[in-house]
Amino acid sequence: MAKVIVVTSGKGGVGKTTTSASFASGLALRGNKTVVIDFDVGLRNLDLIMGCERRVVFDIINVINGDAILSRALIKDKHCDNLYVLPASQTRDKDALSLEGVERIINELKETFDYIVCDSPAGIEHGAFSAMYFADEALVVTNPEVSSVRDSDRILGILAAKSKRAVDGLDPVKEHLLVTRYNPGRVAAGEMLSVEDIQEILRIPLLGVIPESESVLQASNSGTPAIHLDKSDVAEAYKDVVARFMGDGVPMRFITAEKMGLFKRLFGGR
Amino acid sequence: MSLIDNLLDYLRGPEKKTAVVAKERLQIILAHERAGRGAATPDYLPALQEELLEVIAKYIHIDREKIKVQLEKHGEYDVLELNVTLPEHQRIL
C-alpha cells in the first residue's frame, strides 16, 4: 500500500525542500518507487534543488486542470532510477490547487508508487493545507530555534485536527520529528536548544538530526540533493533518517560536539 | 562598569544560558496556545470575568484590563485561573 508523507514545518527556511529532495532520493536509492511533489504553487523550488528545472514542461496545476496527463508532467530524476518529480506551477494562483484535484492525482500516483512525498510550502495557508491533508505520515522539520519550534507545534495541532485522517476519524497521521541545522557545539555551549529540549517540548518521536553544514548550500548550488554528496555529514545523516523511516534501528549520529583534531582543523572535515 | 556593578553581577550569580531561557519561554507560550487550541473555551468565561470584575471593583479600585480569567488544561484537570493585578501602592479598602 502506497504511503503519503508530508514534509512540513510551518516556518520557512528550515529545510523542507532540502529534506524532501534528500528523503525522496534516499527512499528511491533503497529501491522504492518514489515521487516527490512540490506544493509551493507560485514559488516552486524543488525543481532547482533536484536539478531538473530545465526539464519542467507541465506542472501539477496543468494536471489538475486537465491540460496534461499525469505521466507527461512527471520528470524522471537524473540521479536515481526510481524517482520522479511533480513540479508546482510557477505562474498560477495557489487556489488552483483544489483538494479534489490533489486527491485525484494522489490516488492515481498510489497505483504506481510506493512513496508519495509532499513538499509543503511554509505557512498554514491553502498550499500547506493541501500538502498535508492526504498525509499518512508527516516529517516535521524543525530548527533548534524558538520560532521554528513554536510553528512546528502549531502544525502538529493542525495535523491532529484538520488532516483527512483526523476528519475521517482514522488512525492519526504518524508524526516524525526531524531536527535540522543542528550545531552540537553551540548546544554544548548552552547557546542552542538541544534535541532533547525540542523533543520534550513537541512530544513526538525523533526520526533524525541533520547537522548544520556548508555542504547543503553546495548541494543546492549544483542541483544535487544533499544525500548524494559523498562523505558529507549531511548525506550520512539523511541516509540514517531514511533507514530509520524504513524500520532499521540506526543509532543517532551528529548530536554531540566533535573534538577537532589537528588533521581536521588543517584540512577541514566537510 | 563600576565596582558596584561588578559586585551586583557577582551576587546575581552566573547568567542563565540562552538555550535554557528559550526552552522556558517555549514551554510557557505553548502551554497557552495548546490550551486555546483544544476544547474551545466555554462561553460563560466572558460573563464570569465581568461579574468577578464587578465584585472586585466593589472593594478595590481596579483597571478592567488588570483581571484575567483563564481556563487551562493540566493533564486530566481543568484549571480555572483568576489573575488580578492589584494597583501599586494602593491599600485594599
Side-chain angles (χ1 to χ4, degrees):
Chain A
M1 184 61 188
K3 253 186 203 161
V4 181
I5 303 142
V6 63
V7 179
T8 182
S9 71
K11 192 176 182 304
V14 298
K16 283 183 296 299
T17 302
T18 299
T19 296
S20 299
S22 284
F23 183 69
S25 300
L27 289 171
L29 286 174
R30 292 176 65 117
N32 302 292
K33 289 209 78 178
T34 308
V35 57
V36 54
I37 311 176
D38 189 350
F39 277 82
D40 204 344
V41 172
L43 293 168
R44 85 166 166 231
N45 276 320
L46 181 66
D47 55 337
L48 268 182
I49 301 302
M50 302 285 299
C52 64
E53 71 276 7
R54 296 182 60 181
R55 290 187 287 144
V56 175
V57 182
F58 296 111
D59 57 56
I60 186 168
I61 304 293
N62 291 139
V63 181
I64 287 178
N65 291 345
D67 305 331
I69 56 165
L70 183 55
S71 56
R72 295 285 309 275
L74 291 177
I75 304 168
K76 199 194 156 301
D77 181 60
K78 59 183 176 192
H79 306 283
C80 320
D81 275 341
N82 297 313
L83 182 59
Y84 288 81
V85 181
L86 180 56
S89 171
Q90 187 67 313
T91 53
R92 303 301 181 88
D93 187 53
K94 61 184 181 334
D95 296 329
L97 206 59
S98 70
L99 275 189
E100 302 74 48
V102 173
E103 182 167 36
R104 230 185 314 121
I105 290 179
I106 286 184
N107 284 340
E108 197 175 331
L109 290 171
K110 276 182 176 175
E111 290 167 17
T112 327
F113 291 95
D114 303 316
Y115 291 100
I116 300 163
V117 178
C118 302
D119 181 21
S120 170
I124 49 174
E125 309 267 311
H126 186 71
F129 184 69
S130 339
M132 74 166 64
Y133 188 72
F134 299 101
D136 299 307
E137 306 201 20
L139 301 197
V140 180
V141 183
T142 307
N143 287 175
E145 185 269 324
V146 285
S147 50
S148 175
V149 175
R150 182 200 213 169
D151 291 358
S152 291
D153 190 72
R154 188 80 206 284
I155 286 292
L156 288 170
I158 296 173
L159 278 168
K162 296 189 175 154
S163 62
K164 187 168 191 299
R165 281 181 165 272
V167 172
D168 292 353
L170 301 173
D171 288 341
V173 176
K174 191 171 173 193
E175 299 150 340
H176 306 271
L177 175 62
L178 184 67
V179 177
T180 55
R181 308 189 75 164
Y182 197 65
N183 186 330
R186 298 198 74 180
V187 173
E191 298 172 358
M192 185 180 265
L193 288 166
S194 69
V195 174
E196 294 78 18
D197 290 340
I198 300 171
Q199 244 191 308
E200 189 185 328
I201 292 166
L202 293 179
R203 298 181 282 199
I204 58 172
L206 179 68
L207 182 65
V209 178
I210 310 297
E212 166 97 89
S213 164
E214 289 171 11
S215 38
V216 172
L217 180 60
Q218 302 210 32
S220 80
N221 283 344
S222 56
T224 309
I227 198 168
H228 296 302
L229 293 184
D230 263 357
K231 299 192 183 84
S232 75
D233 286 1
V234 170
E236 293 300 308
Y238 272 120
K239 283 177 194 161
D240 285 0
V241 164
V242 174
R244 273 181 220 116
F245 186 84
M246 303 283 299
D248 297 357
V250 180
M252 291 288 165
R253 292 196 275 172
F254 315 112
I255 51 174
T256 47
E258 201 181 329
K259 289 248 163 39
M260 280 277 231
L262 179 65
F263 183 83
K264 252 201 163 166
R265 242 182 280 174
L266 285 176
F267 300 104
R270 292 179 206 282
Chain B
M1 203 184 255
S2 74
L3 188 66
I4 297 185
D5 283 339
N6 277 329
L7 189 65
L8 281 176
D9 275 357
Y10 176 76
L11 289 176
R12 276 191 209 112
E15 238 172 83
K16 228 187 235 180
K17 297 282 190 195
T18 56
V20 176
V21 177
K23 187 180 179 186
E24 290 171 358
R25 291 176 60 216
L26 275 168
Q27 281 171 327
I28 293 167
I29 187 67
L30 291 183
H32 273 262
E33 290 181 351
R34 284 173 186 154
R37 196 194 293 150
T41 45
D43 45 9
Y44 60 75
L45 269 194
L48 177 65
Q49 171 157 348
E50 203 54 37
E51 283 180 42
L52 282 169
L53 184 68
E54 274 172 35
V55 174
I56 292 166
K58 264 200 227 171
Y59 300 92
I60 314 167
H61 186 69
I62 197 173
D63 192 341
R64 291 194 155 248
E65 302 296 309
K66 296 288 164 62
I67 172 168
K68 286 250 165 352
V69 181
Q70 253 163 354
L71 195 64
E72 280 185 33
K73 250 197 160 41
H74 291 284
E76 290 179 29
Y77 302 100
D78 283 344
V79 176
L80 182 70
E81 186 182 306
L82 174 66
N83 198 337
V84 185
T85 313
L86 294 174
E88 276 179 62
H89 309 302
Q90 192 184 325
R91 300 249 170 147
I92 294 173
L93 299 177

